[in-house]
Amino acid sequence: MMDISVITCTYNPDLPTLEKCLDAIAKAYLRYPIKEIILIDNNSTEPISELALVKKFLQNQPTARVVSEPVQGLTHARLSGIAQASGELLIFIDDDNIIRDDFFLEADRISKEYPFIGAFSGQVQLQYAVEPPDWTRRYWGMLVHRLFKGNSWGNLYFENNIMPNGAGLCVNRKVALYYKSLHESGQRNITLDRSGQSLMSGGDNDLAMCACDLGLGMGLFEKLFLYHFLPTSRFTLSYLTRLTHGIYYSDILLKYMRKSPTEKTSIKRKIFDQIRTYSMAKEDRAIVKAMYAGQEEAYIYLESKKSVVHA
């Protein structure tokens, strides 16, 4: 059996959802006893080690422990988890992820059958307490809703059809340590992940692409499956526009950091898109506006650092 470290980063978690997450990890553990479970408390208002449900989980899971990371931000929490982990395979399970009970078995199988894959994930299906508005469905991809048939893998950067999700991201130890070294050497001095109210969303892609840096591949695997539980607030126009802004902002920064070509949208294209949005529903117009705003603010930020070259 492969030594697996599970890392769950959390900040002021929703308690019922965190309980579902931990219960699912415990059930998967019964089918495949993993080496360790590391809960990273990223400066929660109430330390998670004081929560009754976490105390119960720790009592029932002898390999589990809580690690405090006082520096706010998902990147810092992930790096803390990597520093603490000792497994051959590191699995990042968010505090709102509910894995299937064969998740660790499948992750082990994939690692053994595809040793040339350094970072991978699987299918993600959204769960919710209240049926979301129909118009939101075309934007569920931004909420990490991802269902597909078959497996796919490769070693090309920024290829969406092989890019793993942050939810349930599995990386081998070598890849994780390389990612950590980039931060320690100062090569990652721009924040790509969420921190507080920020909805930046590029850190998981950067971590996954570290596999390609090392000559390994990235992949998506059909039988690796989890649910992503979301509150009603995630299906509002306000949240989705903020999320769109964060995704497109961080995408420009990530491409800059990885020296991938980026090009500002031309005035002609902006005018065309503005005309096109007149026929859209108000929700779609708001999303498109947030997309362009995120990209434009990213360029302004990079220009302020005098470090961007325009195509």
Side-chain angles (χ1 to χ4, degrees), residues 7 19 29 37 45 47 62 86-87 99 124 181-182 191 211 222 224 242 254 259 267 283 290 311:
I7 300 170
E19 186 170 25
Y29 180 91
I37 303 165
T45 304
S86 59
I99 60 173
V124 180
S181 74
L182 293 178
T191 299
E222 179 181 11
L224 199 63
R242 287 177 55 229
L254 179 58
K259 298 179 174 58
I267 297 297
E283 295 87 358

Side-chain angles (χ1 to χ4, degrees), residues 28-198:
Y29 180 91
L30 293 176
R31 296 193 62 182
Y32 189 104
I34 57 177
K35 184 174 186 178
E36 58 189 350
I37 303 165
I38 306 170
L39 306 179
I40 305 296
D41 184 355
N42 193 200
N43 199 31
S44 297
T45 304
E46 179 182 1
I48 67 166
S49 58
E50 300 300 318
L51 299 175
L53 69 92
V54 172
K55 289 181 178 179
K56 179 181 177 182
F57 180 77
L58 295 176
Q59 289 174 352
N60 294 331
Q61 298 296 325
T63 67
R65 66 185 187 275
V66 173
V67 174
S68 296
E69 174 48 61
V71 182
Q72 189 69 59
L74 180 55
T75 298
H76 298 291
R78 281 182 177 148
L79 291 171
S80 181
I82 291 170
Q84 292 284 330
S86 59
E88 302 169 70
L89 182 70
L90 279 58
I91 302 180
F92 293 88
I93 298 173
D94 297 338
D95 61 6
D96 55 5
N97 294 168
I98 304 166
I99 60 173
R100 206 159 58 183
D101 61 8
D102 64 350
F103 197 91
F104 301 148
L105 276 170
E106 286 299 323
D108 174 79
R109 179 188 64 79
I110 292 166
S111 291
K112 290 176 179 176
E113 291 185 11
Y114 302 86
F116 51 88
I117 301 295
F120 60 90
S121 71
Q123 299 196 76
V124 180
Q125 182 171 330
L126 298 189
Q127 283 191 336
Y128 33 80
V130 179
E131 186 72 25
D134 284 342
W135 71 265
T136 66
R137 291 181 179 274
R138 52 188 173 272
Y139 301 112
W140 282 13
M142 295 193 299
L143 297 169
V144 201
H145 175 74
R146 201 172 193 182
L147 300 178
F148 53 86
K149 294 290 186 181
N151 305 326
S152 58
W153 62 86
N155 62 353
L156 297 178
Y157 299 95
F158 295 101
E159 281 289 322
N160 186 61
N161 64 338
I162 62 170
M163 181 67 72
N165 315 303
L169 176 62
C170 304
V171 298
N172 75 29
R173 182 174 179 78
K174 182 179 179 182
V175 171
L177 292 179
Y178 173 73
Y179 174 74
K180 179 170 173 283
S181 74
L182 293 178
H183 285 270
E184 292 174 340
S185 64
Q187 297 180 63
R188 289 295 180 269
N189 57 1
I190 297 176
T191 299
L192 290 174
D193 276 316
R194 301 183 183 191
S195 179
Q197 296 302 309
S198 165

Side-chain angles (χ1 to χ4, degrees), residues 287-301:
I287 295 293
V288 171
K289 183 178 179 181
M291 177 189 74
Y292 279 125
Q295 291 175 332
E296 188 63 28
E297 288 183 29
Y299 282 119
I300 291 172
Y301 171 74

Side-chain angles (χ1 to χ4, degrees), residues 149-283:
K149 294 290 186 181
N151 305 326
S152 58
W153 62 86
N155 62 353
L156 297 178
Y157 299 95
F158 295 101
E159 281 289 322
N160 186 61
N161 64 338
I162 62 170
M163 181 67 72
N165 315 303
L169 176 62
C170 304
V171 298
N172 75 29
R173 182 174 179 78
K174 182 179 179 182
V175 171
L177 292 179
Y178 173 73
Y179 174 74
K180 179 170 173 283
S181 74
L182 293 178
H183 285 270
E184 292 174 340
S185 64
Q187 297 180 63
R188 289 295 180 269
N189 57 1
I190 297 176
T191 299
L192 290 174
D193 276 316
R194 301 183 183 191
S195 179
Q197 296 302 309
S198 165
L199 294 180
M200 297 280 284
S201 304
D204 45 7
N205 289 346
D206 188 34
L207 172 54
M209 285 189 284
C210 284
C212 300
D213 293 341
L214 299 179
L216 299 170
M218 305 183 294
L220 294 168
F221 292 86
E222 179 181 11
K223 291 186 177 180
L224 199 63
F225 193 98
L226 63 80
Y227 295 97
H228 185 196
F229 187 85
L230 296 177
T232 303
S233 60
R234 300 288 180 89
F235 296 97
T236 62
L237 181 59
S238 173
Y239 181 85
L240 287 172
T241 51
R242 287 177 55 229
L243 180 61
T244 300
H245 183 284
I247 288 173
Y248 281 87
Y249 182 94
S250 52
D251 179 65
I252 296 297
L253 298 189
L254 179 58
K255 286 177 178 175
Y256 161 73
M257 290 171 64
R258 286 194 159 271
K259 298 179 174 58
S260 179
T262 60
E263 184 176 356
K264 281 189 172 183
T265 305
S266 67
I267 297 297
K268 182 178 180 180
R269 178 68 188 186
K270 285 183 179 179
I271 293 173
F272 173 80
D273 285 342
Q274 187 174 11
I275 294 172
R276 183 171 60 92
T277 60
Y278 290 151
S279 62
M280 293 181 176
K282 65 177 183 179
E283 295 87 358

